[in-house]
Amino acid sequence: MPVLAPDFVHLFAPGTSHPCPDGVGLLVRVLPGVPLSLPSGRVIAMESLGCGVGDPAEMAFTQQVRPGTYPVVLVTVDVIGPDGGHRDTRVAAAQLEIRNEPVATWELALRPGEDTEELDDDELFGYPVDGGTGCFVDAQTFQAAGEKEDFAGQVAESLWGRPQTPVASVRECAPITMSVGDDEHAVVVFSTGWGDGDYPTWIGRTADGDVACFLTDFQVLADEDGREAAGNAEDLRNRIQAPLDTVAQYRALKRRLEGMPILTELLPGDTLRLGSLSSRSGTFLLVNQDDGDVVIYRAQDGATVWRTRTLLEDELIGLANRLVLQDSGNLVVFAPTGVQVWNSGTRGRDVQRAVLGDDGRLVLVDADGGEVWSSELLYPQPMSSAGHLE
């Protein structure tokens, strides 16, 4: 038997606060819906950066709905610290509403060839995410997106082409609507919970058996029976597991960095090419990689904590991007061609240095030692223990 569906009605009730034993609270909010076109009524839920790649007949759920335009509603949680401060906001679920009626039953949304009888007690079908984002799209639109030139690049630009949110601001969790051809509501893109993972989509049915919604659960919350996400912040932190390929990549990077200087800070005018920036205790390491990405790793296990997602084109790999703290206060990643591919959005601010904290955040600091900006974590609180991957 597969895992039973959580009580989504209770979990995602607006205004509900889910306490964690260590004093962290998760406060539920429901964002206004945005329209999604379903010209064929065949629904696909997937990693957004892969939209248009593959066979839509194999990726669409077997349950079809009437063609039309339907709202996609995001359920978010605000991470509230013991002091009442707002630490973070994450998307807990994305719901494609087909009927505005109460859900009586839930069942797993299945693709061709999937059978719940083949699942073990702790297993679910879902879609894999390794870019921190998901989407809903119609199968017909999916095919049209695959025919567009560099649609994945357009998705990436819509997600990461904007300056990052300043540390004092609320994390941006609003959905992004992508157009394909003349359809302005072709793809709805959103962030996925704490980041990467495998996430199930459920079909909610009315008392009459009609489809009320498709809901992708990013496993941020747990119901009273403990189903789905962990029930305390320590478990939430431990959900960020480093895949074996990530650990191997990190070990290889550590070997390649041997003998190279490891910086502890960047000052205005400083540039980091191939090299690294370490937190004071060595718990975290920021690496400017030869593939163009700037990544913060947790030294204990090689888990990725944050990245700029600035991968180079194939013909440029090995030349490396430049991470520069400009005199203007902006932290910028420049491609080898000189084009700016990422920035912190802090131009004109009083930034005196960039440091990597022992909580895994890259922080821009002003003359008084205050935070001007910081990178986002993939978990709500810093790790409580330090370790090193030898």
Side-chain angles (χ1 to χ4, degrees):
M1 288 289 291
V3 175
L4 297 176
D7 182 359
F8 292 126
V9 174
H10 167 72
L11 281 183
F12 300 148
T16 302
S17 180
H18 298 270
C20 298
D22 56 0
V24 172
L26 303 177
L27 179 65
V28 176
R29 288 189 294 126
V30 177
L31 304 186
V34 297
L36 173 69
S37 300
L38 297 180
S40 74
R42 295 175 296 155
V43 178
I44 295 176
M46 63 176 299
E47 159 74 69
S48 63
L49 294 174
C51 186
V53 180
D55 185 353
E58 297 179 355
M59 304 179 71
F61 297 124
T62 56
Q63 175 65 62
Q64 293 185 227
V65 298
R66 185 185 300 274
T69 300
Y70 302 95
V72 174
V73 175
L74 298 187
V75 179
T76 67
V77 293
D78 294 334
V79 181
I80 309 299
D83 59 354
H86 183 182
R87 294 184 172 180
D88 199 358
T89 296
R90 296 284 166 162
V91 176
Q95 180 170 298
L96 173 60
E97 295 185 348
I98 307 301
R99 286 179 174 80
N100 187 19
E101 298 180 30
V103 173
T105 61
W106 295 95
E107 64 192 57
L108 271 178
L110 302 176
R111 299 175 181 83
E114 293 180 340
D115 184 351
T116 56
E117 294 298 323
E118 299 176 358
L119 294 174
D120 291 334
D121 291 345
D122 59 347
E123 290 183 329
L124 290 168
F125 290 117
Y127 66 81
V129 171
D130 60 12
T133 68
C135 72
F136 280 120
V137 61
D138 184 88
Q140 181 175 312
T141 308
F142 175 95
Q143 187 167 356
E147 297 169 357
K148 292 191 64 175
E149 183 177 354
D150 194 25
F151 184 72
Q154 296 175 40
V155 174
E157 176 64 22
S158 70
L159 290 167
W160 303 303
R162 301 166 297 176
Q164 294 229 347
T165 304
V167 66
S169 302
V170 176
R171 174 185 169 88
E172 178 61 60
C173 283
I176 298 171
T177 302
M178 303 288 298
S179 62
V180 176
D182 295 332
D183 187 351
E184 296 181 351
H185 309 295
V187 187
V188 176
V189 181
F190 35 78
S191 59
T192 54
W194 302 119
D196 300 343
D198 290 275
Y199 300 115
T201 299
W202 301 84
I203 296 174
R205 294 189 182 276
T206 67
D208 294 332
D210 296 323
V211 176
C213 66
F214 293 83
L215 184 147
T216 302
D217 178 25
F218 299 121
Q219 302 177 333
V220 172
L221 297 173
D223 63 15
E224 293 180 355
D225 295 326
R227 291 191 290 260
E228 293 299 331
N232 58 67
E234 180 65 30
D235 289 335
L236 290 175
R237 292 194 291 272
N238 291 335
R239 290 175 63 82
I240 309 300
Q241 301 295 326
L244 292 178
D245 57 345
T246 302
V247 173
Q249 179 187 34
Y250 180 72
R251 288 182 183 274
L253 284 168
K254 288 278 285 184
R255 288 193 295 269
R256 287 162 58 189
L257 290 170
E258 289 180 0
M260 297 179 63
I262 298 178
L263 305 179
T264 56
E265 65 179 5
L266 289 178
L267 300 178
D270 284 351
T271 296
L272 179 66
R273 294 182 182 271
L274 284 177
S276 60
L277 182 71
S278 175
S279 65
R280 180 175 299 179
S281 69
T283 307
F284 293 92
L285 193 69
L286 179 147
V287 182
N288 187 10
Q289 303 179 167
D290 58 5
D291 62 3
D293 213 0
V294 179
V295 184
I296 297 176
Y297 292 100
R298 189 169 64 203
Q300 182 180 19
D301 57 3
T304 298
V305 173
W306 177 81
R307 66 196 324 156
T308 57
R309 304 183 189 276
T310 49
L311 293 172
L312 291 167
E313 299 290 338
D314 290 345
E315 61 270 19
L316 296 176
I317 288 180
L319 299 179
N321 288 332
R322 292 179 295 125
L323 180 65
V324 181
L325 182 58
Q326 297 181 316
D327 292 333
S328 65
N330 220 12
L331 184 66
V332 181
V333 176
F334 288 102
T337 58
V339 175
Q340 182 182 133
V341 293
W342 180 92
N343 73 84
S344 59
T346 52
R347 182 180 180 85
R349 306 284 296 275
D350 176 25
V351 176
Q352 296 299 315
R353 59 194 178 105
V355 296
L356 183 60
D358 282 328
D359 59 359
R361 294 182 305 139
L362 176 63
V363 181
L364 301 184
V365 182
D366 63 21
D368 297 325
E371 293 185 7
V372 176
W373 173 93
S374 77
S375 59
E376 300 168 345
L377 294 174
L378 294 182
Y379 42 79
Q381 288 187 327
M383 293 287 290
S384 58
S385 60
H388 298 274
L389 185 62
E390 301 296 334

